[in-house]
Amino acid sequence: MDKILIQGGERLVGEVIVSGSKNATLPIFASSLLAEGENRFHGVPDLKDGKTICEVLKKLGVKIGRGQEGEYLLDGTELVGHEAPYNLVKTMRASILVLGPLVARAKKAIISLPGGCAIGARPVDLHLKGLEKLGAEIQLRHGYIEAKTKGLRGAGIYLDGPTVTGTENLMMAATLAKGETVIENAAAEPEVVELAEVLNKMGAKISGAGSNIIRIKGVKKLTATEHTIIPDRIEAGTFMIAAGVTRGNVHIRNCNLDHMEAVVNKLREAGMEILREDDGVRAIGNKRIKSVDVKTLPYPGFPTDMQAQIMVLMTLAKGLSVLSETIFENRFIHVDELRRMGADIKVERDSAIVNGVKGLSGAPVMATDLRASASLVLAGLAAEGQTEISRVYHLDRGYEKLEEKLARLGAHIRRVKG
Ligand code: UD1
């Protein structure tokens, strides 16, 4: 297994280009199940999770080709299969995104139930209840979700919690349902808005995406489209914090600040300079960070996917900060590893209490999930001495060429093939 070695303490300076959003790519790729013809998607990041969704889609009959760098051609004109198998779904829970479009278009879907995962139970009950409201019959058998319908019908759906992939799944399913669907308490993440835009380009009639009420008027068919994926706001935020923890000065290109208000406000409150520039932002961390409290919330609140990274910033801040995690239980698995690097953190139920220290020290550590891994890289960049991160396949799920990008900013970081 590959490892990442970091010799910490270098100030990061220079320019970095953010890749396309992983969490926008996955539902957009799944939407190819709904349309006839060949879709052309640009700005697609080269990530393990992208490859996994392609494997799932190929099994269902979607033809997938590659164009220029970052360009993917997906043609779902002729669907053949109905099944997303356990061996693929277990490596990526977001494979569940094929359920809604598949049952809408092929009227039948058999999808492995996603198993437990490192950041908590993560059920899919809201996806299933919503599909039942739209007229799908659902059974759970032998570890699989079996869904079938004679034809979906529009309905009113109230989500008990604003689930992101749940909203996306139901929005996709409703595009081909007969009549109008209204999803209340819908997720408002930029990736949901992006998916709605792609579906509308395909001929869907969706309004309200980005608010908590989404209306979808069903249409008879969708046809393929062309689209460029939005920048990854979590990758951009990770680079901002990399500048903060190394007291660096980084020009982050292909970054949409309008999607990042909660993160940018917190970083400014913590004393970082975040300046809007052409095609992105400049992040400067030229003084000791001040402690700030952070609570993760659904969009437009502070994203749970940035909690582990801002925790690293707080380990180096002056004073005490409280980070509350309200989205996922058990999302503090990075804490033990950060402690091994000298961080002073106590966990009490859903809060981590971080007492800032003057410096971290490099150590061998183990990555446990995607964003936890990113936090270990950030800690390694800031730490004195060498950090060796094992199990970096988690990072490859969601960060494109991370070590190359950081090395270009001056980090002493390299991958050792295992
Ligand atoms: C998506 C993102 C992930 C991010 C998360 C929260 C993708 C591919 N992944 O994950 O990176 O961390 O949003 O912003 O976009 N829940 C239920 N029942 C359900 C569905 C969800 O109880 O049927 C709960 C979850 O346990 C969790 C909360 O709702 O507590 C939010 O989860 P959800 O928004 O669904 O996360 P994902 O869509 O899986």
PDB file of all heavy atoms in Angstrom, residues 3-10 12 239 373-374 376-378 380-381 386-389 392 395 401-416:
ATOM      1  N   LYS A   3       2.339   5.001   0.629  1.00  0.00           N
ATOM      2  CA  LYS A   3       2.436   5.882   1.802  1.00  0.00           C
ATOM      3  C   LYS A   3       2.780   7.280   1.330  1.00  0.00           C
ATOM      4  O   LYS A   3       3.362   7.433   0.246  1.00  0.00           O
ATOM      5  CB  LYS A   3       3.579   5.425   2.711  1.00  0.00           C
ATOM      6  CG  LYS A   3       3.272   4.175   3.463  1.00  0.00           C
ATOM      7  CD  LYS A   3       4.425   3.820   4.353  1.00  0.00           C
ATOM      8  CE  LYS A   3       4.055   2.544   5.103  1.00  0.00           C
ATOM      9  NZ  LYS A   3       5.151   2.013   5.851  1.00  0.00           N
ATOM     10  N   ILE A   4       2.490   8.268   2.144  1.00  0.00           N
ATOM     11  CA  ILE A   4       2.936   9.631   1.833  1.00  0.00           C
ATOM     12  C   ILE A   4       3.916  10.065   2.920  1.00  0.00           C
ATOM     13  O   ILE A   4       3.652   9.885   4.113  1.00  0.00           O
ATOM     14  CB  ILE A   4       1.737  10.594   1.720  1.00  0.00           C
ATOM     15  CG1 ILE A   4       1.051  10.361   0.365  1.00  0.00           C
ATOM     16  CG2 ILE A   4       2.166  12.043   1.848  1.00  0.00           C
ATOM     17  CD1 ILE A   4      -0.124  11.247   0.079  1.00  0.00           C
ATOM     18  N   LEU A   5       5.057  10.583   2.465  1.00  0.00           N
ATOM     19  CA  LEU A   5       6.054  11.088   3.411  1.00  0.00           C
ATOM     20  C   LEU A   5       6.111  12.606   3.299  1.00  0.00           C
ATOM     21  O   LEU A   5       6.197  13.148   2.186  1.00  0.00           O
ATOM     22  CB  LEU A   5       7.440  10.537   3.083  1.00  0.00           C
ATOM     23  CG  LEU A   5       7.656   9.028   3.213  1.00  0.00           C
ATOM     24  CD1 LEU A   5       9.106   8.684   2.921  1.00  0.00           C
ATOM     25  CD2 LEU A   5       7.283   8.566   4.621  1.00  0.00           C
ATOM     26  N   ILE A   6       6.066  13.270   4.446  1.00  0.00           N
ATOM     27  CA  ILE A   6       6.139  14.740   4.449  1.00  0.00           C
ATOM     28  C   ILE A   6       7.228  15.177   5.426  1.00  0.00           C
ATOM     29  O   ILE A   6       7.261  14.722   6.568  1.00  0.00           O
ATOM     30  CB  ILE A   6       4.801  15.370   4.908  1.00  0.00           C
ATOM     31  CG1 ILE A   6       3.636  14.876   4.046  1.00  0.00           C
ATOM     32  CG2 ILE A   6       4.873  16.899   4.849  1.00  0.00           C
ATOM     33  CD1 ILE A   6       2.263  15.325   4.539  1.00  0.00           C
ATOM     34  N   GLN A   7       8.092  16.032   4.931  1.00  0.00           N
ATOM     35  CA  GLN A   7       9.062  16.676   5.817  1.00  0.00           C
ATOM     36  C   GLN A   7       8.471  18.055   6.086  1.00  0.00           C
ATOM     37  O   GLN A   7       8.437  18.904   5.188  1.00  0.00           O
ATOM     38  CB  GLN A   7      10.421  16.745   5.086  1.00  0.00           C
ATOM     39  CG  GLN A   7      11.605  17.062   5.955  1.00  0.00           C
ATOM     40  CD  GLN A   7      11.890  15.961   6.983  1.00  0.00           C
ATOM     41  OE1 GLN A   7      11.781  14.783   6.677  1.00  0.00           O
ATOM     42  NE2 GLN A   7      12.248  16.368   8.195  1.00  0.00           N
ATOM     43  N   GLY A   8       7.934  18.271   7.259  1.00  0.00           N
ATOM     44  CA  GLY A   8       7.111  19.463   7.505  1.00  0.00           C
ATOM     45  C   GLY A   8       7.916  20.730   7.695  1.00  0.00           C
ATOM     46  O   GLY A   8       9.148  20.721   7.709  1.00  0.00           O
ATOM     47  N   GLY A   9       7.172  21.835   7.827  1.00  0.00           N
ATOM     48  CA  GLY A   9       7.787  23.107   8.197  1.00  0.00           C
ATOM     49  C   GLY A   9       8.035  24.056   7.036  1.00  0.00           C
ATOM     50  O   GLY A   9       8.499  25.170   7.253  1.00  0.00           O
ATOM     51  N   GLU A  10       7.722  23.628   5.788  1.00  0.00           N
ATOM     52  CA  GLU A  10       7.939  24.538   4.655  1.00  0.00           C
ATOM     53  C   GLU A  10       6.746  25.465   4.515  1.00  0.00           C
ATOM     54  O   GLU A  10       5.596  25.027   4.597  1.00  0.00           O
ATOM     55  CB  GLU A  10       8.101  23.751   3.344  1.00  0.00           C
ATOM     56  CG  GLU A  10       9.339  22.886   3.260  1.00  0.00           C
ATOM     57  CD  GLU A  10      10.615  23.679   3.407  1.00  0.00           C
ATOM     58  OE1 GLU A  10      10.681  24.812   2.874  1.00  0.00           O
ATOM     59  OE2 GLU A  10      11.554  23.169   4.064  1.00  0.00           O
ATOM     60  N   LEU A  12       4.160  27.343   2.354  1.00  0.00           N
ATOM     61  CA  LEU A  12       3.646  27.113   0.997  1.00  0.00           C
ATOM     62  C   LEU A  12       3.413  28.446   0.285  1.00  0.00           C
ATOM     63  O   LEU A  12       2.719  29.320   0.811  1.00  0.00           O
ATOM     64  CB  LEU A  12       2.338  26.324   1.036  1.00  0.00           C
ATOM     65  CG  LEU A  12       2.385  24.922   1.633  1.00  0.00           C
ATOM     66  CD1 LEU A  12       1.106  24.160   1.287  1.00  0.00           C
ATOM     67  CD2 LEU A  12       3.594  24.126   1.153  1.00  0.00           C
ATOM     68  N   PHE A 239      -6.812  23.705   0.563  1.00  0.00           N
ATOM     69  CA  PHE A 239      -5.617  24.504   0.218  1.00  0.00           C
ATOM     70  C   PHE A 239      -5.552  25.797   1.025  1.00  0.00           C
ATOM     71  O   PHE A 239      -4.467  26.249   1.386  1.00  0.00           O
ATOM     72  CB  PHE A 239      -5.582  24.821  -1.283  1.00  0.00           C
ATOM     73  CG  PHE A 239      -5.152  23.640  -2.111  1.00  0.00           C
ATOM     74  CD1 PHE A 239      -5.969  23.139  -3.114  1.00  0.00           C
ATOM     75  CD2 PHE A 239      -3.934  23.027  -1.879  1.00  0.00           C
ATOM     76  CE1 PHE A 239      -5.581  22.038  -3.857  1.00  0.00           C
ATOM     77  CE2 PHE A 239      -3.532  21.926  -2.621  1.00  0.00           C
ATOM     78  CZ  PHE A 239      -4.358  21.433  -3.609  1.00  0.00           C
ATOM     79  N   SER A 373      -7.910  11.926   6.241  1.00  0.00           N
ATOM     80  CA  SER A 373      -6.602  11.801   5.608  1.00  0.00           C
ATOM     81  C   SER A 373      -6.061  13.172   5.220  1.00  0.00           C
ATOM     82  O   SER A 373      -4.875  13.455   5.382  1.00  0.00           O
ATOM     83  CB  SER A 373      -6.683  10.973   4.326  1.00  0.00           C
ATOM     84  OG  SER A 373      -7.461   9.832   4.534  1.00  0.00           O
ATOM     85  N   ALA A 374      -6.963  14.023   4.708  1.00  0.00           N
ATOM     86  CA  ALA A 374      -6.531  15.370   4.326  1.00  0.00           C
ATOM     87  C   ALA A 374      -6.021  16.115   5.556  1.00  0.00           C
ATOM     88  O   ALA A 374      -5.045  16.862   5.490  1.00  0.00           O
ATOM     89  CB  ALA A 374      -7.698  16.129   3.695  1.00  0.00           C
ATOM     90  N   LEU A 376      -4.519  14.860   8.094  1.00  0.00           N
ATOM     91  CA  LEU A 376      -3.187  14.371   8.463  1.00  0.00           C
ATOM     92  C   LEU A 376      -2.122  14.969   7.542  1.00  0.00           C
ATOM     93  O   LEU A 376      -1.011  15.275   7.975  1.00  0.00           O
ATOM     94  CB  LEU A 376      -3.149  12.843   8.417  1.00  0.00           C
ATOM     95  CG  LEU A 376      -4.105  12.144   9.396  1.00  0.00           C
ATOM     96  CD1 LEU A 376      -4.010  10.627   9.253  1.00  0.00           C
ATOM     97  CD2 LEU A 376      -3.814  12.562  10.835  1.00  0.00           C
ATOM     98  N   VAL A 377      -2.476  15.154   6.280  1.00  0.00           N
ATOM     99  CA  VAL A 377      -1.534  15.805   5.358  1.00  0.00           C
ATOM    100  C   VAL A 377      -1.276  17.239   5.836  1.00  0.00           C
ATOM    101  O   VAL A 377      -0.118  17.688   5.919  1.00  0.00           O
ATOM    102  CB  VAL A 377      -2.077  15.809   3.909  1.00  0.00           C
ATOM    103  CG1 VAL A 377      -1.206  16.666   2.998  1.00  0.00           C
ATOM    104  CG2 VAL A 377      -2.176  14.389   3.372  1.00  0.00           C
ATOM    105  N   LEU A 378      -2.347  17.951   6.196  1.00  0.00           N
ATOM    106  CA  LEU A 378      -2.181  19.343   6.666  1.00  0.00           C
ATOM    107  C   LEU A 378      -1.312  19.378   7.921  1.00  0.00           C
ATOM    108  O   LEU A 378      -0.425  20.214   8.050  1.00  0.00           O
ATOM    109  CB  LEU A 378      -3.551  19.963   6.967  1.00  0.00           C
ATOM    110  CG  LEU A 378      -4.448  20.206   5.749  1.00  0.00           C
ATOM    111  CD1 LEU A 378      -5.847  20.622   6.188  1.00  0.00           C
ATOM    112  CD2 LEU A 378      -3.850  21.274   4.833  1.00  0.00           C
ATOM    113  N   GLY A 380       0.888  17.214   8.794  1.00  0.00           N
ATOM    114  CA  GLY A 380       2.262  16.874   8.396  1.00  0.00           C
ATOM    115  C   GLY A 380       2.989  18.065   7.782  1.00  0.00           C
ATOM    116  O   GLY A 380       4.186  18.256   7.999  1.00  0.00           O
ATOM    117  N   LEU A 381       2.265  18.897   7.020  1.00  0.00           N
ATOM    118  CA  LEU A 381       2.881  20.078   6.395  1.00  0.00           C
ATOM    119  C   LEU A 381       3.345  21.069   7.457  1.00  0.00           C
ATOM    120  O   LEU A 381       4.358  21.746   7.304  1.00  0.00           O
ATOM    121  CB  LEU A 381       1.868  20.790   5.484  1.00  0.00           C
ATOM    122  CG  LEU A 381       1.408  20.043   4.229  1.00  0.00           C
ATOM    123  CD1 LEU A 381       0.283  20.810   3.544  1.00  0.00           C
ATOM    124  CD2 LEU A 381       2.575  19.839   3.262  1.00  0.00           C
ATOM    125  N   GLN A 386       9.482  14.508  10.272  1.00  0.00           N
ATOM    126  CA  GLN A 386       8.847  13.704   9.215  1.00  0.00           C
ATOM    127  C   GLN A 386       7.525  13.065   9.659  1.00  0.00           C
ATOM    128  O   GLN A 386       7.434  12.509  10.747  1.00  0.00           O
ATOM    129  CB  GLN A 386       9.802  12.606   8.751  1.00  0.00           C
ATOM    130  CG  GLN A 386       9.156  11.736   7.682  1.00  0.00           C
ATOM    131  CD  GLN A 386      10.145  10.869   6.942  1.00  0.00           C
ATOM    132  OE1 GLN A 386      10.950  11.330   6.145  1.00  0.00           O
ATOM    133  NE2 GLN A 386      10.092   9.583   7.204  1.00  0.00           N
ATOM    134  N   THR A 387       6.524  13.154   8.776  1.00  0.00           N
ATOM    135  CA  THR A 387       5.258  12.457   8.997  1.00  0.00           C
ATOM    136  C   THR A 387       5.108  11.408   7.907  1.00  0.00           C
ATOM    137  O   THR A 387       5.366  11.690   6.734  1.00  0.00           O
ATOM    138  CB  THR A 387       4.083  13.460   8.942  1.00  0.00           C
ATOM    139  OG1 THR A 387       4.227  14.362  10.030  1.00  0.00           O
ATOM    140  CG2 THR A 387       2.734  12.765   9.060  1.00  0.00           C
ATOM    141  N   GLU A 388       4.724  10.214   8.332  1.00  0.00           N
ATOM    142  CA  GLU A 388       4.532   9.138   7.353  1.00  0.00           C
ATOM    143  C   GLU A 388       3.070   8.716   7.445  1.00  0.00           C
ATOM    144  O   GLU A 388       2.605   8.252   8.484  1.00  0.00           O
ATOM    145  CB  GLU A 388       5.451   7.975   7.731  1.00  0.00           C
ATOM    146  CG  GLU A 388       5.330   6.797   6.808  1.00  0.00           C
ATOM    147  CD  GLU A 388       6.192   5.622   7.285  1.00  0.00           C
ATOM    148  OE1 GLU A 388       7.403   5.809   7.493  1.00  0.00           O
ATOM    149  OE2 GLU A 388       5.609   4.546   7.483  1.00  0.00           O
ATOM    150  N   ILE A 389       2.328   8.921   6.346  1.00  0.00           N
ATOM    151  CA  ILE A 389       0.885   8.609   6.371  1.00  0.00           C
ATOM    152  C   ILE A 389       0.641   7.326   5.601  1.00  0.00           C
ATOM    153  O   ILE A 389       0.962   7.235   4.410  1.00  0.00           O
ATOM    154  CB  ILE A 389       0.054   9.755   5.748  1.00  0.00           C
ATOM    155  CG1 ILE A 389       0.401  11.085   6.412  1.00  0.00           C
ATOM    156  CG2 ILE A 389      -1.445   9.474   5.873  1.00  0.00           C
ATOM    157  CD1 ILE A 389      -0.231  12.301   5.753  1.00  0.00           C
ATOM    158  N   VAL A 392      -3.140   5.641   2.240  1.00  0.00           N
ATOM    159  CA  VAL A 392      -3.506   6.881   1.546  1.00  0.00           C
ATOM    160  C   VAL A 392      -4.508   6.655   0.420  1.00  0.00           C
ATOM    161  O   VAL A 392      -4.912   7.598  -0.238  1.00  0.00           O
ATOM    162  CB  VAL A 392      -2.266   7.630   1.001  1.00  0.00           C
ATOM    163  CG1 VAL A 392      -1.421   8.125   2.135  1.00  0.00           C
ATOM    164  CG2 VAL A 392      -1.479   6.784   0.042  1.00  0.00           C
ATOM    165  N   LEU A 395      -7.243   9.062   0.427  1.00  0.00           N
ATOM    166  CA  LEU A 395      -7.033  10.383  -0.196  1.00  0.00           C
ATOM    167  C   LEU A 395      -7.316  10.343  -1.683  1.00  0.00           C
ATOM    168  O   LEU A 395      -7.859  11.292  -2.249  1.00  0.00           O
ATOM    169  CB  LEU A 395      -5.565  10.787  -0.051  1.00  0.00           C
ATOM    170  CG  LEU A 395      -5.128  11.607   1.125  1.00  0.00           C
ATOM    171  CD1 LEU A 395      -3.648  11.904   0.981  1.00  0.00           C
ATOM    172  CD2 LEU A 395      -5.909  12.905   1.249  1.00  0.00           C
ATOM    173  N   LYS A 401      -4.217  14.363  -7.529  1.00  0.00           N
ATOM    174  CA  LYS A 401      -2.790  14.735  -7.537  1.00  0.00           C
ATOM    175  C   LYS A 401      -2.411  15.640  -6.359  1.00  0.00           C
ATOM    176  O   LYS A 401      -1.713  16.650  -6.533  1.00  0.00           O
ATOM    177  CB  LYS A 401      -2.457  15.473  -8.841  1.00  0.00           C
ATOM    178  CG  LYS A 401      -2.732  14.651 -10.103  1.00  0.00           C
ATOM    179  CD  LYS A 401      -2.133  15.324 -11.322  1.00  0.00           C
ATOM    180  CE  LYS A 401      -2.454  14.544 -12.570  1.00  0.00           C
ATOM    181  NZ  LYS A 401      -3.270  15.256 -13.529  1.00  0.00           N
ATOM    182  N   LEU A 402      -2.885  15.303  -5.179  1.00  0.00           N
ATOM    183  CA  LEU A 402      -2.672  16.206  -4.036  1.00  0.00           C
ATOM    184  C   LEU A 402      -1.191  16.450  -3.769  1.00  0.00           C
ATOM    185  O   LEU A 402      -0.754  17.582  -3.589  1.00  0.00           O
ATOM    186  CB  LEU A 402      -3.359  15.646  -2.788  1.00  0.00           C
ATOM    187  CG  LEU A 402      -3.276  16.559  -1.567  1.00  0.00           C
ATOM    188  CD1 LEU A 402      -3.996  17.874  -1.809  1.00  0.00           C
ATOM    189  CD2 LEU A 402      -3.849  15.882  -0.322  1.00  0.00           C
ATOM    190  N   GLU A 403      -0.405  15.352  -3.760  1.00  0.00           N
ATOM    191  CA  GLU A 403       0.992  15.579  -3.378  1.00  0.00           C
ATOM    192  C   GLU A 403       1.748  16.353  -4.452  1.00  0.00           C
ATOM    193  O   GLU A 403       2.608  17.177  -4.146  1.00  0.00           O
ATOM    194  CB  GLU A 403       1.698  14.296  -2.931  1.00  0.00           C
ATOM    195  CG  GLU A 403       1.892  13.197  -3.931  1.00  0.00           C
ATOM    196  CD  GLU A 403       0.664  12.308  -4.137  1.00  0.00           C
ATOM    197  OE1 GLU A 403      -0.437  12.622  -3.665  1.00  0.00           O
ATOM    198  OE2 GLU A 403       0.831  11.287  -4.822  1.00  0.00           O
ATOM    199  N   GLU A 404       1.360  16.138  -5.739  1.00  0.00           N
ATOM    200  CA  GLU A 404       2.014  16.938  -6.801  1.00  0.00           C
ATOM    201  C   GLU A 404       1.698  18.413  -6.642  1.00  0.00           C
ATOM    202  O   GLU A 404       2.567  19.274  -6.781  1.00  0.00           O
ATOM    203  CB  GLU A 404       1.473  16.518  -8.173  1.00  0.00           C
ATOM    204  CG  GLU A 404       2.210  15.371  -8.801  1.00  0.00           C
ATOM    205  CD  GLU A 404       1.531  14.964 -10.109  1.00  0.00           C
ATOM    206  OE1 GLU A 404       1.225  15.842 -10.932  1.00  0.00           O
ATOM    207  OE2 GLU A 404       1.306  13.747 -10.277  1.00  0.00           O
ATOM    208  N   LYS A 405       0.423  18.706  -6.360  1.00  0.00           N
ATOM    209  CA  LYS A 405       0.014  20.114  -6.224  1.00  0.00           C
ATOM    210  C   LYS A 405       0.732  20.770  -5.038  1.00  0.00           C
ATOM    211  O   LYS A 405       1.189  21.898  -5.127  1.00  0.00           O
ATOM    212  CB  LYS A 405      -1.502  20.213  -6.050  1.00  0.00           C
ATOM    213  CG  LYS A 405      -2.286  19.856  -7.307  1.00  0.00           C
ATOM    214  CD  LYS A 405      -3.778  20.065  -7.101  1.00  0.00           C
ATOM    215  CE  LYS A 405      -4.590  19.642  -8.304  1.00  0.00           C
ATOM    216  NZ  LYS A 405      -6.032  19.922  -8.142  1.00  0.00           N
ATOM    217  N   LEU A 406       0.819  20.036  -3.916  1.00  0.00           N
ATOM    218  CA  LEU A 406       1.466  20.604  -2.728  1.00  0.00           C
ATOM    219  C   LEU A 406       2.973  20.761  -2.951  1.00  0.00           C
ATOM    220  O   LEU A 406       3.570  21.745  -2.519  1.00  0.00           O
ATOM    221  CB  LEU A 406       1.191  19.724  -1.503  1.00  0.00           C
ATOM    222  CG  LEU A 406      -0.252  19.776  -0.990  1.00  0.00           C
ATOM    223  CD1 LEU A 406      -0.488  18.701   0.060  1.00  0.00           C
ATOM    224  CD2 LEU A 406      -0.581  21.162  -0.409  1.00  0.00           C
ATOM    225  N   ALA A 407       3.565  19.798  -3.658  1.00  0.00           N
ATOM    226  CA  ALA A 407       5.012  19.884  -3.918  1.00  0.00           C
ATOM    227  C   ALA A 407       5.313  21.124  -4.753  1.00  0.00           C
ATOM    228  O   ALA A 407       6.304  21.824  -4.527  1.00  0.00           O
ATOM    229  CB  ALA A 407       5.501  18.620  -4.621  1.00  0.00           C
ATOM    230  N   ARG A 408       4.423  21.437  -5.698  1.00  0.00           N
ATOM    231  CA  ARG A 408       4.643  22.628  -6.529  1.00  0.00           C
ATOM    232  C   ARG A 408       4.565  23.917  -5.701  1.00  0.00           C
ATOM    233  O   ARG A 408       5.097  24.938  -6.084  1.00  0.00           O
ATOM    234  CB  ARG A 408       3.648  22.666  -7.684  1.00  0.00           C
ATOM    235  CG  ARG A 408       4.365  22.345  -9.000  1.00  0.00           C
ATOM    236  CD  ARG A 408       3.471  22.414 -10.193  1.00  0.00           C
ATOM    237  NE  ARG A 408       3.021  21.064 -10.522  1.00  0.00           N
ATOM    238  CZ  ARG A 408       1.774  20.723 -10.774  1.00  0.00           C
ATOM    239  NH1 ARG A 408       0.825  21.633 -10.774  1.00  0.00           N
ATOM    240  NH2 ARG A 408       1.475  19.482 -11.042  1.00  0.00           N
ATOM    241  N   LEU A 409       3.882  23.838  -4.564  1.00  0.00           N
ATOM    242  CA  LEU A 409       3.805  25.017  -3.676  1.00  0.00           C
ATOM    243  C   LEU A 409       4.993  25.053  -2.706  1.00  0.00           C
ATOM    244  O   LEU A 409       5.059  25.919  -1.836  1.00  0.00           O
ATOM    245  CB  LEU A 409       2.491  24.992  -2.882  1.00  0.00           C
ATOM    246  CG  LEU A 409       1.209  25.167  -3.691  1.00  0.00           C
ATOM    247  CD1 LEU A 409      -0.023  24.927  -2.819  1.00  0.00           C
ATOM    248  CD2 LEU A 409       1.142  26.570  -4.298  1.00  0.00           C
ATOM    249  N   GLY A 410       5.871  24.071  -2.814  1.00  0.00           N
ATOM    250  CA  GLY A 410       7.073  24.097  -1.983  1.00  0.00           C
ATOM    251  C   GLY A 410       7.086  23.076  -0.857  1.00  0.00           C
ATOM    252  O   GLY A 410       8.026  23.026  -0.065  1.00  0.00           O
ATOM    253  N   ALA A 411       6.036  22.257  -0.757  1.00  0.00           N
ATOM    254  CA  ALA A 411       6.017  21.255   0.313  1.00  0.00           C
ATOM    255  C   ALA A 411       7.021  20.145   0.003  1.00  0.00           C
ATOM    256  O   ALA A 411       7.232  19.799  -1.162  1.00  0.00           O
ATOM    257  CB  ALA A 411       4.623  20.655   0.434  1.00  0.00           C
ATOM    258  N   HIS A 412       7.629  19.606   1.036  1.00  0.00           N
ATOM    259  CA  HIS A 412       8.489  18.428   0.863  1.00  0.00           C
ATOM    260  C   HIS A 412       7.619  17.204   1.107  1.00  0.00           C
ATOM    261  O   HIS A 412       7.465  16.751   2.236  1.00  0.00           O
ATOM    262  CB  HIS A 412       9.675  18.466   1.824  1.00  0.00           C
ATOM    263  CG  HIS A 412      10.674  19.509   1.444  1.00  0.00           C
ATOM    264  ND1 HIS A 412      11.745  19.848   2.216  1.00  0.00           N
ATOM    265  CD2 HIS A 412      10.758  20.290   0.342  1.00  0.00           C
ATOM    266  CE1 HIS A 412      12.441  20.795   1.612  1.00  0.00           C
ATOM    267  NE2 HIS A 412      11.852  21.087   0.473  1.00  0.00           N
ATOM    268  N   ILE A 413       7.012  16.750   0.042  1.00  0.00           N
ATOM    269  CA  ILE A 413       6.043  15.664   0.168  1.00  0.00           C
ATOM    270  C   ILE A 413       6.264  14.697  -0.980  1.00  0.00           C
ATOM    271  O   ILE A 413       6.517  15.115  -2.117  1.00  0.00           O
ATOM    272  CB  ILE A 413       4.597  16.237   0.154  1.00  0.00           C
ATOM    273  CG1 ILE A 413       3.543  15.133   0.278  1.00  0.00           C
ATOM    274  CG2 ILE A 413       4.308  17.070  -1.078  1.00  0.00           C
ATOM    275  CD1 ILE A 413       2.122  15.675   0.541  1.00  0.00           C
ATOM    276  N   ARG A 414       6.223  13.420  -0.693  1.00  0.00           N
ATOM    277  CA  ARG A 414       6.339  12.449  -1.790  1.00  0.00           C
ATOM    278  C   ARG A 414       5.590  11.178  -1.433  1.00  0.00           C
ATOM    279  O   ARG A 414       5.352  10.884  -0.265  1.00  0.00           O
ATOM    280  CB  ARG A 414       7.788  12.159  -2.149  1.00  0.00           C
ATOM    281  CG  ARG A 414       8.559  11.415  -1.122  1.00  0.00           C
ATOM    282  CD  ARG A 414      10.044  11.434  -1.451  1.00  0.00           C
ATOM    283  NE  ARG A 414      10.791  11.010  -0.304  1.00  0.00           N
ATOM    284  CZ  ARG A 414      11.166   9.758  -0.064  1.00  0.00           C
ATOM    285  NH1 ARG A 414      10.895   8.796  -0.933  1.00  0.00           N
ATOM    286  NH2 ARG A 414      11.823   9.440   1.029  1.00  0.00           N
ATOM    287  N   ARG A 415       5.226  10.467  -2.507  1.00  0.00           N
ATOM    288  CA  ARG A 415       4.507   9.214  -2.331  1.00  0.00           C
ATOM    289  C   ARG A 415       5.503   8.067  -2.475  1.00  0.00           C
ATOM    290  O   ARG A 415       6.346   8.081  -3.372  1.00  0.00           O
ATOM    291  CB  ARG A 415       3.426   9.105  -3.416  1.00  0.00           C
ATOM    292  CG  ARG A 415       2.592   7.846  -3.329  1.00  0.00           C
ATOM    293  CD  ARG A 415       1.536   7.851  -4.402  1.00  0.00           C
ATOM    294  NE  ARG A 415       0.495   8.827  -4.101  1.00  0.00           N
ATOM    295  CZ  ARG A 415      -0.782   8.502  -3.886  1.00  0.00           C
ATOM    296  NH1 ARG A 415      -1.204   7.263  -3.954  1.00  0.00           N
ATOM    297  NH2 ARG A 415      -1.669   9.438  -3.623  1.00  0.00           N
ATOM    298  N   VAL A 416       5.398   7.117  -1.597  1.00  0.00           N
ATOM    299  CA  VAL A 416       6.233   5.930  -1.710  1.00  0.00           C
ATOM    300  C   VAL A 416       5.316   4.778  -2.092  1.00  0.00           C
ATOM    301  O   VAL A 416       4.352   4.481  -1.371  1.00  0.00           O
ATOM    302  CB  VAL A 416       6.923   5.618  -0.361  1.00  0.00           C
ATOM    303  CG1 VAL A 416       7.851   4.416  -0.495  1.00  0.00           C
ATOM    304  CG2 VAL A 416       7.662   6.832   0.131  1.00  0.00           C
TER     305      VAL A 416
END
